[in-house]
Amino acid sequence: MELYRYRNQKKMRRGLSTGTCAAAAAKAAMEELVRDRSETKVSVRLPGGEQASLDVAKAPDGSFFTIKDGGDDPDATSGLEIHVRAARMDFPPLEEDLNRLHMFHDPEDPRMYLTGGPGVGMVTRKGLEQDIGMYAINQVPRRMIFSSAKEVLDAAEIGHADRVLLTVSVPGGEAAALKTFNPKLGIINGISILGTSGVVEPMSEQSIVDTIEVEIRQQLANGSRSMIFVPGNMGARYVEHDVLPRLGDLRLPIIQISNYVGDALDLAVSYELENVLLVGNIGKFIKLAAGIMNTHSHTADARWEIMVSHAALQGVETPRLKELRQCITTEEMLTKLLEWGSLEPVVRSLLSEIDRHLSARLGDRVPFGLKMYSERYGLLGETPGTGKILKALKHAGGTE
């Protein structure tokens, strides 16, 4: 497979997912079980058709493992050993007992079963790919694991009367999971076995967007169709201390969307949410006034350009515009505008433009509102229609 990608003008190394590692370990474990061969390197086919070659080793407990390498992506699971043990089953379970036994069955090959062991997380909430009580081994990795094992069975001409149980375990997985989104998603006691492509892209954004989608699905499974989107902890704090008290301290789903406003709004449309309220700081939300829907500074940092243009539209004179240009933070800009008596009209202008861009993204498919705050000055304002959304959220919170 291709080993490198260019990100932000840097050559960065790709990694392999936990699913790919588990598939390689499963193949090695099967080689020993049915052909009595102890492999040190195996090749597995990725979902996109590429081949990946991985080093494997045998552990003292008889399982085979490979070491997770996330490449240049900041990955909490990098360096973990992904183990798989293969064992024959004398009495395969009945289909109706699989959930009770926390087992998956290959839908395409009756010979193979899969379960988790220590260090692999278990699902405790609705909305994930697996049922509650099942191990957090996602669908694509399951197919990869089963497919890799099937290659060995077919090559060894093992008949359909034989049954094999594959067990994935991850020493240190429970501690590593605390650095991932798993605790928030209701996955306990370990990491997830993941990967839709089998490859970890450096500085991957897709994993974050995927997590946002999972959270939305979970809330839908719990009956909530109205949600609050916040970029991070700062937005969550505004919700807790200002928004929810105004709604009577109702419990409403709060989804952290990081910098991915546009992706989160697209998911709101895809899942047909009834109401969305965005709550956050002006340092992030000012970028929405220019239609910038990924607010990470690596994508675009146009804060002063946006603020200066709206100040100019509200009649702020050129010398003062130049002063704004020299401010490092939006908070400093707000202080200047307050001193000049221009804060209110400039904020109103920003919110009007934010409303226009969000309306263009959502159309009339999902009603929305946005409340924008400052760490220094508190609530700055809200987009038109936010009051209506707050009433809808209060109703949703009281009935769902």
Side-chain angles (χ1 to χ4, degrees):
M1 69 172 217
E2 187 179 350
L3 293 178
Y4 294 93
R5 286 282 190 265
Y6 284 90
R7 293 285 187 274
N8 299 319
Q9 301 179 11
K10 294 180 181 179
K11 186 178 183 181
M12 305 187 77
R13 189 167 57 86
R14 303 166 85 195
L16 293 170
S17 68
T18 47
T20 299
C21 293
K27 189 171 185 178
M30 289 296 297
E31 286 281 2
E32 182 174 80
L33 179 70
V34 303
R35 303 172 78 175
D36 198 26
R37 290 175 14 180
S38 188
E39 302 287 348
T40 58
K41 186 179 285 288
V42 298
S43 178
V44 296
R45 183 179 295 278
L46 304 180
E50 295 178 286
Q51 291 282 340
S53 182
L54 293 84
D55 293 326
V56 293
K58 187 176 180 180
D61 67 356
S63 65
F64 279 77
F65 70 91
T66 187
I67 297 175
K68 169 68 163 60
D69 180 1
D72 287 330
D73 193 62
D75 187 337
T77 65
S78 280
L80 293 177
E81 295 177 359
I82 312 298
H83 288 241
V84 176
R85 176 194 291 273
R88 285 189 169 88
M89 301 175 71
D90 294 328
F91 302 100
L94 299 172
E95 288 293 323
E96 56 265 31
D97 291 332
L98 288 177
N99 277 25
R100 180 176 59 80
L101 297 171
H102 318 298
M103 287 184 187
F104 301 100
H105 190 195
D106 185 355
E108 299 179 0
D109 192 321
R111 296 173 293 182
M112 286 180 289
Y113 296 79
L114 174 66
T115 190
V120 177
M122 185 168 282
V123 174
T124 65
R125 290 173 57 186
K126 296 178 183 178
L128 296 169
E129 285 191 7
Q130 306 82 8
D131 293 334
I132 291 175
M134 295 298 283
Y135 284 101
I137 307 172
N138 277 11
Q139 185 175 8
V140 173
R142 292 201 301 269
R143 285 202 303 264
M144 291 179 66
I145 293 167
F146 284 136
S147 176
S148 296
K150 177 179 166 62
E151 285 183 34
V152 180
L153 287 179
D154 289 346
E157 298 181 348
I158 299 297
H160 280 67
D162 291 279
R163 299 290 188 271
V164 175
L165 175 64
L166 301 166
T167 303
V168 183
S169 59
V170 184
E174 187 169 355
L178 299 178
K179 302 174 185 177
T180 72
F181 288 105
N182 275 15
K184 187 174 182 180
L185 298 177
I187 299 171
I188 63 170
N189 299 332
I191 67 167
S192 299
I193 305 301
L194 302 171
T196 54
S197 67
V199 176
V200 178
E201 296 291 351
M203 305 303 289
S204 173
E205 298 180 348
Q206 189 58 47
S207 61
I208 300 175
V209 176
D210 288 345
T211 300
I212 296 168
E213 182 175 7
V214 167
E215 289 198 64
I216 290 173
R217 287 209 317 262
Q218 286 183 327
Q219 296 299 339
L220 288 170
N222 290 329
S224 297
R225 304 201 66 82
S226 297
M227 302 182 193
I228 300 175
F229 288 175
V230 299
N233 292 331
M234 195 178 293
R237 193 169 71 247
Y238 298 144
V239 172
E240 180 183 354
H241 294 302
D242 187 60
V243 177
L244 292 183
R246 295 170 187 265
L247 297 176
D249 289 316
L250 298 173
R251 292 185 175 273
L252 291 168
I254 301 172
I255 310 295
Q256 291 205 11
I257 62 173
S258 186
N259 294 294
Y260 308 105
V261 179
D263 291 296
L265 295 177
D266 292 343
L267 289 168
V269 172
S270 297
Y271 285 99
E272 300 179 347
L273 300 191
E274 292 180 356
N275 300 284
V276 168
L277 176 67
L278 295 96
V279 178
N281 185 271
I282 187 173
K284 293 285 187 186
F285 281 175
I286 191 174
K287 299 178 184 182
L288 302 179
I292 298 168
M293 295 292 167
N294 181 331
T295 60
H296 198 291
S297 57
H298 288 163
T299 300
D301 188 6
R303 290 171 298 172
W304 78 261
E305 292 93 338
I306 298 167
M307 189 74 86
V308 166
S309 66
H310 282 267
L313 288 170
Q314 299 307 311
V316 175
E317 298 175 351
T318 300
R320 288 179 169 176
L321 296 177
K322 291 180 178 179
E323 282 190 55
L324 282 181
R325 167 67 180 89
Q326 299 305 314
C327 294
I328 297 175
T329 67
T330 51
E331 297 289 342
E332 291 181 66
M333 298 179 201
L334 294 178
T335 299
K336 293 284 187 184
L337 291 169
L338 183 62
E339 291 173 359
W340 303 332
S342 302
L343 179 59
E344 185 177 339
V346 170
V347 167
R348 191 165 54 245
S349 178
L350 287 168
L351 287 166
S352 176
E353 197 65 9
I354 290 171
D355 184 70
R356 187 176 72 83
H357 283 291
L358 295 184
S359 295
R361 188 77 176 225
L362 290 168
D364 59 359
R365 293 163 291 184
V366 179
F368 72 91
L370 178 143
K371 293 175 76 71
M372 186 165 70
Y373 290 78
S374 156
E375 280 292 274
R376 190 174 296 176
Y377 301 110
L379 178 63
L380 294 172
E382 58 190 39
T383 57
T386 298
K388 184 177 179 181
I389 293 300
L390 290 172
K391 289 181 181 178
L393 287 174
K394 186 171 184 177
H395 174 72
T399 59
E400 292 178 358

